[in-house]
mmCIF file of all heavy atoms in Angstrom:
data_model
loop_
_atom_site.group_PDB
_atom_site.id
_atom_site.type_symbol
_atom_site.label_atom_id
_atom_site.label_comp_id
_atom_site.label_asym_id
_atom_site.label_seq_id
_atom_site.Cartn_x
_atom_site.Cartn_y
_atom_site.Cartn_z
ATOM 1 N N VAL A 5 8.714 -2.275 0.504
ATOM 2 C CA VAL A 5 9.877 -1.550 1.014
ATOM 3 C C VAL A 5 9.392 -0.225 1.561
ATOM 4 O O VAL A 5 8.816 0.576 0.844
ATOM 5 C CB VAL A 5 10.932 -1.335 -0.097
ATOM 6 C CG1 VAL A 5 12.096 -0.529 0.419
ATOM 7 C CG2 VAL A 5 11.392 -2.685 -0.630
ATOM 8 N N LYS A 6 9.633 -0.013 2.856
ATOM 9 C CA LYS A 6 9.094 1.165 3.536
ATOM 10 C C LYS A 6 10.093 2.307 3.684
ATOM 11 O O LYS A 6 9.712 3.413 4.011
ATOM 12 C CB LYS A 6 8.583 0.783 4.932
ATOM 13 C CG LYS A 6 7.564 -0.336 4.933
ATOM 14 C CD LYS A 6 6.250 0.082 4.351
ATOM 15 C CE LYS A 6 5.225 -1.044 4.506
ATOM 16 N NZ LYS A 6 3.937 -0.718 3.949
ATOM 17 N N ASP A 7 11.403 2.045 3.467
ATOM 18 C CA ASP A 7 12.388 3.118 3.607
ATOM 19 C C ASP A 7 13.688 2.746 2.890
ATOM 20 O O ASP A 7 13.839 1.639 2.380
ATOM 21 C CB ASP A 7 12.654 3.443 5.079
ATOM 22 C CG ASP A 7 13.113 2.238 5.895
ATOM 23 O OD1 ASP A 7 13.907 1.424 5.372
ATOM 24 O OD2 ASP A 7 12.688 2.116 7.055
ATOM 25 N N GLU A 8 14.619 3.697 2.855
ATOM 26 C CA GLU A 8 15.889 3.488 2.162
ATOM 27 C C GLU A 8 16.734 2.390 2.805
ATOM 28 O O GLU A 8 17.474 1.690 2.117
ATOM 29 C CB GLU A 8 16.693 4.791 2.109
ATOM 30 C CG GLU A 8 16.115 5.816 1.160
ATOM 31 C CD GLU A 8 16.954 7.084 1.088
ATOM 32 O OE1 GLU A 8 18.188 6.999 1.175
ATOM 33 O OE2 GLU A 8 16.345 8.159 0.952
ATOM 34 N N GLN A 9 16.628 2.217 4.109
ATOM 35 C CA GLN A 9 17.388 1.165 4.797
ATOM 36 C C GLN A 9 16.938 -0.215 4.307
ATOM 37 O O GLN A 9 17.771 -1.081 4.024
ATOM 38 C CB GLN A 9 17.211 1.287 6.306
ATOM 39 C CG GLN A 9 18.016 0.267 7.083
ATOM 40 C CD GLN A 9 17.847 0.444 8.592
ATOM 41 O OE1 GLN A 9 17.173 1.340 9.071
ATOM 42 N NE2 GLN A 9 18.476 -0.436 9.335
ATOM 43 N N GLN A 10 15.637 -0.422 4.194
ATOM 44 C CA GLN A 10 15.132 -1.685 3.664
ATOM 45 C C GLN A 10 15.546 -1.859 2.201
ATOM 46 O O GLN A 10 15.885 -2.963 1.769
ATOM 47 C CB GLN A 10 13.614 -1.755 3.776
ATOM 48 C CG GLN A 10 13.115 -1.945 5.177
ATOM 49 C CD GLN A 10 11.596 -1.983 5.231
ATOM 50 O OE1 GLN A 10 10.899 -1.502 4.346
ATOM 51 N NE2 GLN A 10 11.077 -2.562 6.299
ATOM 52 N N GLN A 11 15.511 -0.768 1.441
ATOM 53 C CA GLN A 11 15.919 -0.819 0.035
ATOM 54 C C GLN A 11 17.372 -1.279 -0.071
ATOM 55 O O GLN A 11 17.704 -2.160 -0.857
ATOM 56 C CB GLN A 11 15.747 0.552 -0.621
ATOM 57 C CG GLN A 11 16.177 0.594 -2.077
ATOM 58 C CD GLN A 11 16.036 1.992 -2.686
ATOM 59 O OE1 GLN A 11 15.640 2.947 -2.014
ATOM 60 N NE2 GLN A 11 16.359 2.103 -3.952
ATOM 61 N N ARG A 12 18.252 -0.700 0.718
ATOM 62 C CA ARG A 12 19.673 -1.064 0.681
ATOM 63 C C ARG A 12 19.880 -2.506 1.145
ATOM 64 O O ARG A 12 20.663 -3.249 0.557
ATOM 65 C CB ARG A 12 20.476 -0.097 1.559
ATOM 66 C CG ARG A 12 21.961 -0.337 1.623
ATOM 67 C CD ARG A 12 22.738 -0.379 0.304
ATOM 68 N NE ARG A 12 22.260 0.443 -0.748
ATOM 69 C CZ ARG A 12 22.352 0.128 -2.064
ATOM 70 N NH1 ARG A 12 22.905 -0.979 -2.467
ATOM 71 N NH2 ARG A 12 21.887 0.931 -2.973
ATOM 72 N N PHE A 13 19.145 -2.939 2.176
ATOM 73 C CA PHE A 13 19.227 -4.315 2.659
ATOM 74 C C PHE A 13 18.895 -5.290 1.531
ATOM 75 O O PHE A 13 19.633 -6.236 1.271
ATOM 76 C CB PHE A 13 18.267 -4.504 3.837
ATOM 77 C CG PHE A 13 18.200 -5.913 4.353
ATOM 78 C CD1 PHE A 13 19.135 -6.376 5.266
ATOM 79 C CD2 PHE A 13 17.198 -6.775 3.919
ATOM 80 C CE1 PHE A 13 19.073 -7.690 5.746
ATOM 81 C CE2 PHE A 13 17.132 -8.081 4.393
ATOM 82 C CZ PHE A 13 18.075 -8.541 5.308
ATOM 83 N N LEU A 14 17.775 -5.049 0.848
ATOM 84 C CA LEU A 14 17.385 -5.919 -0.266
ATOM 85 C C LEU A 14 18.388 -5.852 -1.401
ATOM 86 O O LEU A 14 18.777 -6.880 -1.958
ATOM 87 C CB LEU A 14 16.008 -5.529 -0.789
ATOM 88 C CG LEU A 14 14.822 -5.992 0.016
ATOM 89 C CD1 LEU A 14 13.547 -5.382 -0.541
ATOM 90 C CD2 LEU A 14 14.723 -7.505 0.011
ATOM 91 N N ALA A 15 18.797 -4.642 -1.760
ATOM 92 C CA ALA A 15 19.747 -4.478 -2.873
ATOM 93 C C ALA A 15 21.036 -5.238 -2.605
ATOM 94 O O ALA A 15 21.566 -5.908 -3.499
ATOM 95 C CB ALA A 15 20.028 -2.993 -3.100
ATOM 96 N N ASP A 16 21.544 -5.166 -1.392
ATOM 97 C CA ASP A 16 22.779 -5.871 -1.052
ATOM 98 C C ASP A 16 22.620 -7.380 -1.199
ATOM 99 O O ASP A 16 23.494 -8.061 -1.717
ATOM 100 C CB ASP A 16 23.221 -5.535 0.375
ATOM 101 C CG ASP A 16 23.726 -4.109 0.522
ATOM 102 O OD1 ASP A 16 23.981 -3.447 -0.506
ATOM 103 O OD2 ASP A 16 23.843 -3.651 1.677
ATOM 104 N N ARG A 17 21.488 -7.912 -0.752
ATOM 105 C CA ARG A 17 21.275 -9.354 -0.854
ATOM 106 C C ARG A 17 21.030 -9.808 -2.287
ATOM 107 O O ARG A 17 21.494 -10.849 -2.708
ATOM 108 C CB ARG A 17 20.127 -9.792 0.051
ATOM 109 C CG ARG A 17 20.676 -10.159 1.422
ATOM 110 C CD ARG A 17 20.017 -9.389 2.539
ATOM 111 N NE ARG A 17 20.811 -9.450 3.752
ATOM 112 C CZ ARG A 17 21.629 -8.464 4.142
ATOM 113 N NH1 ARG A 17 21.803 -7.411 3.402
ATOM 114 N NH2 ARG A 17 22.291 -8.553 5.277
ATOM 115 N N ILE A 18 20.291 -9.005 -3.043
ATOM 116 C CA ILE A 18 20.045 -9.348 -4.447
ATOM 117 C C ILE A 18 21.357 -9.323 -5.219
ATOM 118 O O ILE A 18 21.659 -10.242 -5.983
ATOM 119 C CB ILE A 18 19.023 -8.376 -5.069
ATOM 120 C CG1 ILE A 18 17.647 -8.580 -4.420
ATOM 121 C CG2 ILE A 18 18.944 -8.581 -6.582
ATOM 122 C CD1 ILE A 18 16.671 -7.454 -4.700
ATOM 123 N N ALA A 19 22.152 -8.287 -5.013
ATOM 124 C CA ALA A 19 23.433 -8.171 -5.720
ATOM 125 C C ALA A 19 24.367 -9.327 -5.379
ATOM 126 O O ALA A 19 25.093 -9.820 -6.247
ATOM 127 C CB ALA A 19 24.095 -6.841 -5.387
ATOM 128 N N ALA A 20 24.351 -9.774 -4.138
ATOM 129 C CA ALA A 20 25.236 -10.858 -3.715
ATOM 130 C C ALA A 20 24.821 -12.204 -4.305
ATOM 131 O O ALA A 20 25.660 -13.083 -4.490
ATOM 132 C CB ALA A 20 25.244 -10.950 -2.190
ATOM 133 N N ARG A 21 23.543 -12.374 -4.609
ATOM 134 C CA ARG A 21 23.062 -13.677 -5.076
ATOM 135 C C ARG A 21 22.852 -13.750 -6.583
ATOM 136 O O ARG A 21 23.161 -14.741 -7.213
ATOM 137 C CB ARG A 21 21.763 -14.039 -4.370
ATOM 138 C CG ARG A 21 21.992 -14.396 -2.914
ATOM 139 C CD ARG A 21 20.694 -14.817 -2.249
ATOM 140 N NE ARG A 21 20.912 -15.298 -0.895
ATOM 141 C CZ ARG A 21 21.024 -14.534 0.164
ATOM 142 N NH1 ARG A 21 20.975 -13.231 0.034
ATOM 143 N NH2 ARG A 21 21.205 -15.053 1.355
ATOM 144 N N SER A 22 22.256 -12.716 -7.178
ATOM 145 C CA SER A 22 21.875 -12.844 -8.579
ATOM 146 C C SER A 22 22.177 -11.622 -9.431
ATOM 147 O O SER A 22 22.266 -11.727 -10.632
ATOM 148 C CB SER A 22 20.383 -13.165 -8.680
ATOM 149 O OG SER A 22 19.621 -12.115 -8.102
ATOM 150 N N ASP A 23 22.286 -10.449 -8.816
ATOM 151 C CA ASP A 23 22.560 -9.201 -9.527
ATOM 152 C C ASP A 23 21.586 -8.951 -10.675
ATOM 153 O O ASP A 23 21.971 -8.629 -11.781
ATOM 154 C CB ASP A 23 24.010 -9.179 -10.039
ATOM 155 C CG ASP A 23 24.476 -7.769 -10.368
ATOM 156 O OD1 ASP A 23 23.971 -6.816 -9.744
ATOM 157 O OD2 ASP A 23 25.324 -7.620 -11.265
ATOM 158 N N VAL A 24 20.281 -9.127 -10.397
ATOM 159 C CA VAL A 24 19.258 -8.903 -11.410
ATOM 160 C C VAL A 24 18.271 -7.842 -10.937
ATOM 161 O O VAL A 24 18.117 -7.589 -9.749
ATOM 162 C CB VAL A 24 18.484 -10.203 -11.744
ATOM 163 C CG1 VAL A 24 19.401 -11.233 -12.364
ATOM 164 C CG2 VAL A 24 17.786 -10.769 -10.525
ATOM 165 N N THR A 25 17.589 -7.236 -11.893
ATOM 166 C CA THR A 25 16.528 -6.291 -11.600
ATOM 167 C C THR A 25 15.374 -7.046 -10.950
ATOM 168 O O THR A 25 15.014 -8.131 -11.387
ATOM 169 C CB THR A 25 16.077 -5.601 -12.893
ATOM 170 O OG1 THR A 25 17.179 -4.833 -13.392
ATOM 171 C CG2 THR A 25 14.883 -4.696 -12.680
ATOM 172 N N THR A 26 14.793 -6.460 -9.891
ATOM 173 C CA THR A 26 13.823 -7.179 -9.073
ATOM 174 C C THR A 26 12.615 -6.305 -8.749
ATOM 175 O O THR A 26 12.772 -5.162 -8.332
ATOM 176 C CB THR A 26 14.497 -7.632 -7.761
ATOM 177 O OG1 THR A 26 15.664 -8.388 -8.085
ATOM 178 C CG2 THR A 26 13.568 -8.459 -6.920
ATOM 179 N N TRP A 27 11.413 -6.863 -8.944
ATOM 180 C CA TRP A 27 10.181 -6.149 -8.609
ATOM 181 C C TRP A 27 10.062 -5.913 -7.107
ATOM 182 O O TRP A 27 10.459 -6.744 -6.310
ATOM 183 C CB TRP A 27 8.943 -6.950 -9.021
ATOM 184 C CG TRP A 27 8.679 -7.025 -10.479
ATOM 185 C CD1 TRP A 27 8.623 -8.161 -11.234
ATOM 186 C CD2 TRP A 27 8.382 -5.947 -11.372
ATOM 187 N NE1 TRP A 27 8.336 -7.847 -12.529
ATOM 188 C CE2 TRP A 27 8.181 -6.498 -12.652
ATOM 189 C CE3 TRP A 27 8.287 -4.571 -11.223
ATOM 190 C CZ2 TRP A 27 7.877 -5.722 -13.755
ATOM 191 C CZ3 TRP A 27 7.997 -3.793 -12.329
ATOM 192 C CH2 TRP A 27 7.792 -4.365 -13.581
ATOM 193 N N LEU A 28 9.464 -4.786 -6.749
ATOM 194 C CA LEU A 28 9.034 -4.504 -5.382
ATOM 195 C C LEU A 28 7.521 -4.644 -5.343
ATOM 196 O O LEU A 28 6.866 -4.660 -6.387
ATOM 197 C CB LEU A 28 9.415 -3.078 -4.970
ATOM 198 C CG LEU A 28 10.891 -2.745 -4.922
ATOM 199 C CD1 LEU A 28 11.073 -1.283 -4.547
ATOM 200 C CD2 LEU A 28 11.608 -3.642 -3.931
ATOM 201 N N GLY A 29 6.953 -4.682 -4.171
ATOM 202 C CA GLY A 29 5.502 -4.764 -4.035
ATOM 203 C C GLY A 29 4.858 -3.396 -4.100
ATOM 204 O O GLY A 29 4.084 -3.032 -3.227
ATOM 205 N N VAL A 30 5.163 -2.625 -5.142
ATOM 206 C CA VAL A 30 4.608 -1.282 -5.308
ATOM 207 C C VAL A 30 4.100 -1.163 -6.736
ATOM 208 O O VAL A 30 4.799 -1.534 -7.676
ATOM 209 C CB VAL A 30 5.678 -0.189 -5.075
ATOM 210 C CG1 VAL A 30 5.081 1.195 -5.268
ATOM 211 C CG2 VAL A 30 6.298 -0.317 -3.701
ATOM 212 N N LYS A 31 2.877 -0.696 -6.895
ATOM 213 C CA LYS A 31 2.331 -0.448 -8.218
ATOM 214 C C LYS A 31 1.472 0.795 -8.176
ATOM 215 O O LYS A 31 1.156 1.303 -7.104
ATOM 216 C CB LYS A 31 1.532 -1.639 -8.732
ATOM 217 C CG LYS A 31 0.303 -1.956 -7.905
ATOM 218 C CD LYS A 31 -0.472 -3.108 -8.481
ATOM 219 C CE LYS A 31 -1.679 -2.566 -9.191
ATOM 220 N NZ LYS A 31 -2.482 -3.555 -9.854
ATOM 221 N N THR A 32 1.105 1.273 -9.327
ATOM 222 C CA THR A 32 0.276 2.468 -9.367
ATOM 223 C C THR A 32 -1.189 2.097 -9.257
ATOM 224 O O THR A 32 -1.618 1.030 -9.660
ATOM 225 C CB THR A 32 0.488 3.249 -10.680
ATOM 226 O OG1 THR A 32 0.166 2.391 -11.775
ATOM 227 C CG2 THR A 32 1.894 3.759 -10.796
ATOM 228 N N ALA A 33 -1.904 2.979 -8.650
ATOM 229 C CA ALA A 33 -3.364 2.924 -8.632
ATOM 230 C C ALA A 33 -3.782 4.152 -9.431
ATOM 231 O O ALA A 33 -2.919 4.928 -9.837
ATOM 232 C CB ALA A 33 -3.867 2.999 -7.188
ATOM 233 N N PRO A 34 -5.039 4.339 -9.676
ATOM 234 C CA PRO A 34 -5.400 5.560 -10.401
ATOM 235 C C PRO A 34 -4.836 6.796 -9.698
ATOM 236 O O PRO A 34 -5.237 7.105 -8.586
ATOM 237 C CB PRO A 34 -6.937 5.551 -10.387
ATOM 238 C CG PRO A 34 -7.280 4.096 -10.244
ATOM 239 C CD PRO A 34 -6.182 3.515 -9.365
ATOM 240 N N ALA A 35 -3.840 7.397 -10.290
ATOM 241 C CA ALA A 35 -3.211 8.644 -9.834
ATOM 242 C C ALA A 35 -2.364 8.523 -8.575
ATOM 243 O O ALA A 35 -2.025 9.525 -7.973
ATOM 244 C CB ALA A 35 -4.259 9.729 -9.637
ATOM 245 N N ALA A 36 -1.988 7.315 -8.129
ATOM 246 C CA ALA A 36 -1.159 7.197 -6.928
ATOM 247 C C ALA A 36 -0.439 5.855 -6.897
ATOM 248 O O ALA A 36 -0.911 4.870 -7.452
ATOM 249 C CB ALA A 36 -2.018 7.336 -5.679
ATOM 250 N N PHE A 37 0.712 5.812 -6.219
ATOM 251 C CA PHE A 37 1.408 4.553 -5.971
ATOM 252 C C PHE A 37 0.841 3.934 -4.702
ATOM 253 O O PHE A 37 0.513 4.642 -3.746
ATOM 254 C CB PHE A 37 2.913 4.793 -5.757
ATOM 255 C CG PHE A 37 3.663 5.100 -7.019
ATOM 256 C CD1 PHE A 37 4.019 6.403 -7.330
ATOM 257 C CD2 PHE A 37 4.035 4.086 -7.884
ATOM 258 C CE1 PHE A 37 4.730 6.690 -8.481
ATOM 259 C CE2 PHE A 37 4.740 4.357 -9.039
ATOM 260 C CZ PHE A 37 5.085 5.668 -9.348
#
Side-chain angles (χ1 to χ4, degrees):
V5 177
K6 305 290 186 181
D7 57 39
E8 288 182 35
Q9 182 178 358
Q10 288 179 339
Q11 179 182 1
R12 180 55 32 212
F13 176 84
L14 282 173
D16 290 347
R17 270 125 197 99
I18 293 165
R21 288 183 174 83
S22 61
D23 199 29
V24 296
T25 296
T26 305
W27 288 120
L28 297 178
V30 179
K31 64 178 257 177
T32 59
F37 285 102

